[in-house]
Amino acid sequence: MKILIAEDEKALQTSIKTFLEKDAHVCETASDYEEALYRISLYDYDMVLLDINLLNGSGLDVLKQLKKSRSEAGVIIISANNSLDNKLEGLDLGADDYITKPFHLAELNSRIKAVLRRGKFGGNEELQFQEITIQTRSKTVFVEERPIELTRKEYDLLVFFITNEGRVLSKEIIAEHLWGDQSDMLDNFDFIYVHINNLRKKLGRASHYIQTAYGSGYIFKSA
């Protein structure tokens, strides 16, 4: 999934990013209040890890802006402050969880997965669309109960399509979701065609759900 790490401690920011990227997440970072505001205004994230005490501002104000813009991103507050008042304020503003420094990265990762399951998959570890079944914990995919082998990018692309069913996704949005900031350095979107064509081949008879929206991008729908 696509995650923003808004954390002003550079060492911790780097540790979180490195750890989460091993689990195939696309991670972007913000070190201060203004940068965090800029990024949430520019991109749609699945998850925002939000330090309360950002440079030049409060993470709670970033959270307020997320909710004002009706963002569907999950939010986990990170803070060195174990104050119950701060914790309750963050949760009252709409945060999904709260973790206090210091913490184990494995615990943070488990909390991220739990929030994502509640938000994206309604608390389930299985995502179903017609004859396609996705086991989100093991990242395995079945078509008509037959397992298919997908690369990490193909898996991410399929989940992105299904969780955005009926929505036209531009090539730019797909590239930004799969590659984050690195998508800005790409000369063209040929790699998207390659991944989508490969995914269609592997889906077999279920490939017709991926439809081309001419001049716009792609749309995933049953009819």
Side-chain angles (χ1 to χ4, degrees):
M1 297 297 169
K2 186 171 179 59
I3 299 174
L4 174 64
I5 306 165
E7 166 61 56
D8 61 357
E9 292 183 30
K10 285 288 189 179
L12 179 58
Q13 181 190 102
T14 300
S15 296
I16 294 173
K17 184 175 188 292
T18 301
F19 187 88
L20 295 180
E21 285 181 338
K22 291 179 181 177
D23 204 21
H25 296 300
V26 174
C27 297
E28 297 176 357
T29 59
S31 299
D32 59 46
Y33 172 76
E34 293 296 336
E35 187 178 7
L37 281 183
Y38 172 73
R39 289 198 172 277
I40 64 170
S41 70
L42 197 61
Y43 302 120
D44 290 326
Y45 294 95
D46 298 295
M47 173 65 60
V48 177
L49 306 179
L50 191 56
D51 189 355
I52 287 181
N53 300 310
L54 291 172
L55 293 173
N56 306 320
S58 170
L60 293 178
D61 289 331
V62 176
L63 176 57
K64 290 176 184 177
Q65 186 58 42
L66 278 168
K67 297 307 174 182
K68 183 179 179 181
S69 65
R70 299 185 182 276
S71 169
E72 295 183 359
V75 179
I76 297 178
I77 290 177
I78 298 174
S79 178
N81 191 338
N82 198 27
S83 166
L84 179 61
D85 289 341
N86 279 345
K87 179 177 182 178
L88 292 177
E89 183 180 4
L91 295 174
D92 286 344
L93 287 171
D96 298 281
D97 202 353
Y98 187 111
I99 191 167
T100 304
K101 303 175 187 176
F103 52 81
H104 292 290
L105 294 175
E107 179 187 356
L108 175 62
N109 196 26
S110 293
R111 292 185 181 222
I112 289 171
K113 290 178 179 178
V115 170
L116 288 173
R117 283 198 301 272
R118 290 198 298 269
K120 289 284 187 183
F121 312 127
N124 297 317
E125 294 182 358
E126 182 175 287
L127 185 61
Q128 185 79 41
F129 182 88
Q130 303 293 351
E131 66 268 41
I132 301 172
T133 303
I134 299 176
Q135 300 289 345
T136 60
R137 181 179 290 273
S138 60
K139 296 184 178 180
T140 52
V141 178
F142 301 83
V143 176
E144 296 178 337
E145 301 184 354
R146 175 179 59 86
I148 61 173
E149 294 290 333
L150 300 181
T151 66
R152 283 186 175 181
K153 292 300 182 188
E154 291 164 358
Y155 174 86
D156 290 343
L157 182 59
L158 179 60
V159 172
F160 190 47
F161 273 138
I162 291 178
T163 54
N164 285 278
E165 177 195 354
R167 175 187 173 193
V168 175
L169 301 173
S170 69
K171 294 185 288 293
E172 291 82 2
I173 288 175
I174 295 172
E176 190 273 330
H177 178 79
L178 293 179
W179 273 270
D181 288 343
Q182 297 177 16
S183 65
D184 295 335
M185 297 181 288
L186 299 168
D187 295 329
N188 57 60
F189 297 106
D190 289 348
F191 65 92
I192 291 179
Y193 302 131
V194 172
H195 285 297
I196 288 178
N197 287 337
N198 288 341
L199 179 58
R200 280 172 165 162
K201 290 177 183 177
K202 292 180 179 181
L203 288 175
R205 288 185 292 180
S207 63
H208 64 279
Y209 300 129
I210 304 175
Q211 301 174 27
T212 301
Y214 293 100
S216 302
Y218 297 89
I219 185 170
F220 193 90
K221 60 181 184 178
S222 58

